[in-house]
Each structure stands twice: as C-alpha cells, then as structure tokens.
Amino acid sequence: MEKKPFVTLEQIEKIAGKYPTPFHIYDEAGIRKNCENVKKAFSWNKGFREYFAVKATPNPYILRIMNDYDFGFDCSSEAELVLSDAVGADGMHIMFSSNETPAREYALAANLGAIINLDDITHIDFLEGIIGDKFPEIMSCRYNPGGVIKMSNGIMDNPGDAKFGMTEEQLFEAYRRLKEHGVKKFGIHAFIASNTVTNEYYPMLAGQLFELIVKIKDKLGIDFAFVNLSGGVGVAYRPDQTPNDIFAIGEGVRQAFEKIMVPAGMQDAAIYCEMGRFMLAPYGALVTKAVHEKHTYKEYIGVDACAANLMRPAIYGAYHHITVLGKENEPEDHKYDIVGSLCENNDKFAIDRMLPEIKKGDYLFIHDAGAHGFSMGYNYNGRLRSAELLLKENGEVQLIRRAETLNDYFATFDGTEFKDKLISE
Ligand SMILES: *Cc1c(COP(=O)(O)O)cnc(C)c1O
C-alpha cells in the first residue's frame, strides 16, 4: 500500500518555523479513528478493553486520548504506572505486565489497585513478601508456550527463547497457589510474537489460550475474568506489505471464542489486549532536515536527526519508509544512505534507499515512528531528545514535550563543582 505522510510540506515548513527539526509529530485524527476501529472490531465482547502499552509512546497527552475510548494502560515500570495514574486511570484500567520487577513497583501497582500480571511463579512468594496475604481479588499470569510458532505468511517467532512467562505446568501450579491466597478471579496473558503483519496472530493465540483455560478451569475450578492477548499486532512498515485488518482480527478472535469459550460456559470472559505499535506507530513520524550531502564510496544524505531519536533501524535493521516532503511525485532515481551524526556506523535511517534527489534543506518524513520511536531514545554522543508535537484534529499543533536542552543533559552530575561551567541560566 502506498505510504502517504499525514502532513504536507507547507504544513511542516510552518511548523518548523516555530519548532526546529528534528521532532516527532503525532496525528490525533488518525489515532482517534484507529481507536474507534479497535473498539468496534471487538464490540461483540462485552468486557473488551485495550490497555495501551505505555512504553510505546509514554506521553500523557497521547495517553489522555485513550481515555475517551475507555481504554486502559499496560505498564511495566514505575514511571509508566505514575503516568497512567496521572491521566486518571483507576486500578481496573491499569495492567501491570512487568518482568524482573523491583519490589517497590509491585507495591505501587498494588497500591493503585492495578491488575497484576505475574511473569513467573516465583513472584507469588516475592509479592507475598511485599503485600503480605492481602492478594488482590483479581490476578493474572503470563504464559509462555515455548517452542517456535509459525504463521502461514512465513512470520515466525521463538517464544521458547524468550525470558517472559511461565510453562504450562507452572501455570497450573501458580493459579492453584493464587487461589489459596484468596484470589477470586483470574486472567491469562501471553505475548508470543512481535510485529505480526497477519490477521492470523490474535485468533491463533486466542484459540490456544481459550483451550488452555478451559482445561485449567476444569481442573482447578477457578473463574477466568479475562484473556489478555497482549501486544504483537504489527504494522506495515514497508509499502509492499498489506496492513493488518483489525476487523478481520476481531472476527477471527470471535470465532475462536464461539467455538471454545461459549460451549465451556465461559462466555462472560472479557478479551483484553495491550497493543502499542498498532495503536500508534502509523500515526507518528520523525521529521528531520537534510543538512549535508556526501559523495564517497556511497551517496550519503546527513540529516539533523540520528539514532538517538529513532533507534529501530540501528538496533534491528528495521525498515522505516521515508518520504521527501514536496517531492512525493518525483521519480525515485537516487540511491542514498540516510544517516545521522552519531559516531556509530549503524546510525542509518535507510541504506541503499531509492529516493528522489535530495537537496540540503529538504524535509524528510520518516514514517511509522509513533510507537517505540521517541520512547527508545537515548543520549549517546550527548545527542538530545527531540520535541514531540501533536497535530490536533482542528489542524493546530501543540507542543506536548519540549526538546531537551544541554541543561537537561548536564542536570544529573553530582554536586555543584561544574555547575557554573555546565548549566546556563
Ligand atoms: C511491548 C509490550 C506490549 C506492546 O507490544 P506492541 O508490539 O507494541 O503491540 C504489550 N504488552 C507487553 C507486556 C509488552 O511488553
């Protein structure tokens, strides 16, 4: 599918006049439309709720949009819990799907009344050491089926190699022990493949989890309040991929539910998900300006953003589509590496990419950076995090996070010895 920017060159020129590049910009209209679609696609399930994965885009102005759809928040750290609380989420709207969890984070999650999703069986005792025998009424366990999974379009993933979740045997034992601790209602959670661009993933996972909890219910006589399909629904980063159809995904999960859950008398169970990428990636972009060109053994365009602003290409070799704004209709007859300024040769947003001829001053729109984009940012080479902007439905642009300054970067040195030299008024 053709990938079109959600802003024009004229808009970006105006915005950049006020907020210099690089910046991340998010499209409120696109986010809202997608939220509505997700809600509709699962409206057959009474208790359905999306818990947006906060780590994807941890900005309260973005999270607040989700409130309008009664979505919750999936957290795995103290900062994410605090953010969710700050935008007004109550306990039932916070899912705490953490791993290797520090004690104080469990304490905070329990305090907020969040739904705690245990990553491992040993965490039952760990939790008891923190909250005593006051276990919440409702708790969840994370399952890892092990092995390798494969879908018909060739996507595969390797849950057996993943650090997350419990084996089936541990799961039975964990629920049994939680029941002894007075827990009344249960959830199950699994995340077994990432960025799946196929409508099959959720229905397949749902079928597997439904069958498993029917067995667990029969054996232990416990009640399942929800099945949490977690994240993993992908987006079409490449123009030759077919984007997921959330309605087909919802329908696939419904069919598995009708086939397995309804006959088992478990039709009241809610479907939860924790999508991050699918909710935000396409509705955010990194906008950067071409500032240098270099002709050596290859053709390079140097831009004012770098991997510190968007790390996915550098760490996973991930593809992010690039549009040269204003040149949408020009022939893509130049082969470039689009590179940032880090002293690391993996700081490349694109390698051997065919693009229209780029001139210094051109704006590049790096697509699908709305999730796991800004949030993965870091400060290597003393590079600063960019601003985040929200393009509102009415066309106005709101600064929802200012760019970092050197003062921010230097703020954490201990003592005051260098303060006069480093911190400017
Ligand atoms: C990262 C993560 C998600 C979100 O994953 P996406 O691929 O962005 O949808 C959801 N749940 C948990 C527990 C995660 O770690």
Side-chain angles (χ1 to χ4, degrees), residues 50-56 74-76 80 95-99 117 142 164 189-191 193-196 202 228-234 237 273-281 371-372:
E50 149 74 1
Y51 289 80
F52 175 64
V54 175
K55 73 165 187 251
D74 167 47
C75 302
S76 73
E80 293 170 4
M95 183 72 61
F96 191 52
S97 287
S98 60
N99 66 95
N117 179 38
R142 183 167 184 163
F164 308 108
H189 170 281
F191 187 162
S194 207
N195 190 29
T196 57
Y202 260 10
N228 184 347
L229 302 176
S230 191
V233 178
Y237 285 101
C273 43
E274 304 173 335
M275 293 183 283
R277 193 184 313 275
F278 187 79
M279 302 310 295
L280 248 301
H372 313 299

Side-chain angles (χ1 to χ4, degrees), residues 253-307:
V253 175
R254 189 191 67 79
Q255 285 175 16
F257 193 88
E258 291 291 326
K259 192 169 135 213
I260 304 162
M261 296 289 276
V262 174
M266 297 172 82
Q267 64 282 345
D268 291 335
I271 302 296
Y272 290 168
C273 43
E274 304 173 335
M275 293 183 283
R277 193 184 313 275
F278 187 79
M279 302 310 295
L280 248 301
Y283 314 110
L286 173 60
V287 176
T288 181
K289 190 154 74 171
V291 289
H292 291 283
E293 51 183 285
K294 174 168 180 168
H295 315 279
T296 52
Y297 306 102
K298 300 183 85 172
E299 297 296 296
Y300 294 100
I301 295 294
V303 295
D304 60 4
C306 64

Side-chain angles (χ1 to χ4, degrees), residues 121-194:
I121 190 162
T122 59
H123 287 217
I124 298 174
D125 290 340
F126 188 71
L127 191 61
E128 190 181 3
I130 300 157
I131 60 171
D133 211 25
K134 290 197 227 49
F135 275 59
E137 287 250 309
I138 177 162
M139 285 196 72
S140 175
C141 293
R142 183 167 184 163
Y143 172 53
N144 182 334
V148 172
I149 62 154
K150 245 188 181 144
M151 280 158 279
S152 60
N153 70 349
I155 288 185
M156 48 182 282
D157 220 315
N158 201 344
D161 258 358
K163 67 173 177 171
F164 308 108
M166 309 182 205
T167 67
E168 183 169 330
E169 204 185 337
Q170 290 172 333
L171 204 62
F172 275 84
E173 178 63 9
Y175 285 121
R176 194 186 61 68
R177 290 181 49 200
L178 289 173
K179 185 183 173 190
E180 282 174 9
H181 277 289
V183 178
K184 298 276 180 297
K185 293 209 157 194
F186 297 86
I188 189 166
H189 170 281
F191 187 162
I192 61 176
S194 207

Side-chain angles (χ1 to χ4, degrees), residues 191-207:
F191 187 162
I192 61 176
S194 207
N195 190 29
T196 57
V197 190
T198 162
N199 298 327
E200 266 173 78
Y201 171 64
Y202 260 10
M204 176 217 68
L205 173 63

